[in-house]
């Protein structure tokens, strides 16, 4: 029984996410998801981006490091393999090590300067539409299947934020 309780321990700290879902501030929800996932992933940068399907671009809605990656920043992803993979095909992207980050991100030097060596980008999907992405960057060079599963759960929890948390 103790093993089962220990395995479920990360699930017990869900109250902040539940409270944020009851509110009307998407950034509060994204922040609660960031804090919830941090002990599971050990990430030091979390961003949440809205997908602009007409431009094939992303616009940052939330950042755990607003000085380095301020909300409102945008990046064009048209014609880029990462954009096709994550935004159009709605598949998780895992980048491990400096070479993978350099190959996928124009801002790889800024990422390296923050000491980040791996990334999990998860499309936030509802129905057949990609609403945006949850992006988690870690100092660790390797990403485990459990880390990917936790990131995918975080993306699912982010859906209400993209819907505006309307409680009309």
């Amino acid at each position: 029984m103790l093993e089962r309780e220990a395995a479920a321990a990360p699930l017990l700290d869900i109250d902040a996410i539940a409270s944020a879902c009851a509110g009307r501030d998407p950034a509060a929800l994204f922040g609660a998801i960031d804090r919830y996932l941090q002990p599971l992933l050990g990430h030091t940068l979390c961003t949440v981006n809205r997908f602009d399907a007409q431009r094939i671009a992303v616009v940052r809605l939330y950042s755990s490091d607003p000085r380095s990656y301020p909300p409102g920043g945008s990046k064009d992803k048209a014609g880029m393999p990462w954009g096709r993979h994550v935004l159009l095909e709605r598949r998780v992207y895992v980048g491990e090590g400096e070479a993978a980050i350099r190959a996928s991100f124009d801002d790889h030097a800024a990422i390296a300067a923050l000491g980040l060596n791996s990334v999990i980008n998860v499309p936030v999907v509802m129905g057949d539409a990609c609403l945006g992405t949850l992006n988690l960057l870690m100092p660790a060079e390797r990403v485990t299947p459990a880390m990917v599963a936790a990131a995918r759960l975080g993306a699912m929890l982010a859906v209400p934020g993209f819907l505006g948390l309307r409680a009309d």
Side-chain angles (χ1 to χ4, degrees), residues 105-162:
F105 303 105
D106 293 339
D107 60 340
H108 57 86
I111 293 170
L114 292 173
L116 302 169
N117 298 303
S118 62
V119 62
I120 306 170
N121 302 115
V122 185
V124 177
V125 176
M126 182 169 174
D128 64 352
C130 178
L131 305 174
T133 63
L134 173 65
N135 313 293
L136 301 144
L137 293 94
M138 287 81 48
E141 288 214 12
R142 298 288 169 238
V143 174
T144 67
M147 293 166 77
V148 173
R152 291 182 65 210
L153 175 61
M156 289 184 267
L157 293 170
V159 169
F162 285 91

Side-chain angles (χ1 to χ4, degrees), residues 23-24 37 39 59 64 75 77 126 131 146-147 160:
R24 293 180 180 257
L37 293 175
V59 178
S64 64
K75 297 178 183 179
K77 297 297 181 179
M126 182 169 174
L131 305 174
M147 293 166 77

Side-chain angles (χ1 to χ4, degrees), residues 13-27:
D13 197 21
I14 198 78
D15 291 341
I17 294 173
S19 293
C21 278
R24 293 180 180 257
D25 181 6

Side-chain angles (χ1 to χ4, degrees), residues 38 41 43 81 90-91 111 117 139 144-146 149-150 152 155 168:
Q38 208 293 317
L41 300 177
H43 64 276
R90 301 183 309 269
R91 295 189 295 148
I111 293 170
N117 298 303
T144 67
R152 291 182 65 210
D168 301 340

Side-chain angles (χ1 to χ4, degrees), residues 35-95:
R35 290 183 298 279
Y36 180 76
L37 293 175
Q38 208 293 317
L40 301 170
L41 300 177
H43 64 276
T44 54
L45 177 62
C46 172
T47 63
V48 177
N49 296 330
R50 179 181 56 79
F51 176 42
D52 180 339
Q54 288 187 344
R55 290 183 29 224
I56 312 295
V58 293
V59 178
R60 196 172 307 110
L61 301 175
Y62 168 83
S63 174
S64 64
D65 183 354
R67 181 170 298 189
S68 299
Y69 286 92
S74 67
K75 297 178 183 179
D76 291 327
K77 297 297 181 179
M80 299 182 73
W82 182 94
R84 184 184 70 253
H85 183 92
V86 177
L87 301 170
L88 302 178
E89 296 173 2
R90 301 183 309 269
R91 295 189 295 148
V92 174
Y93 172 79
V94 175

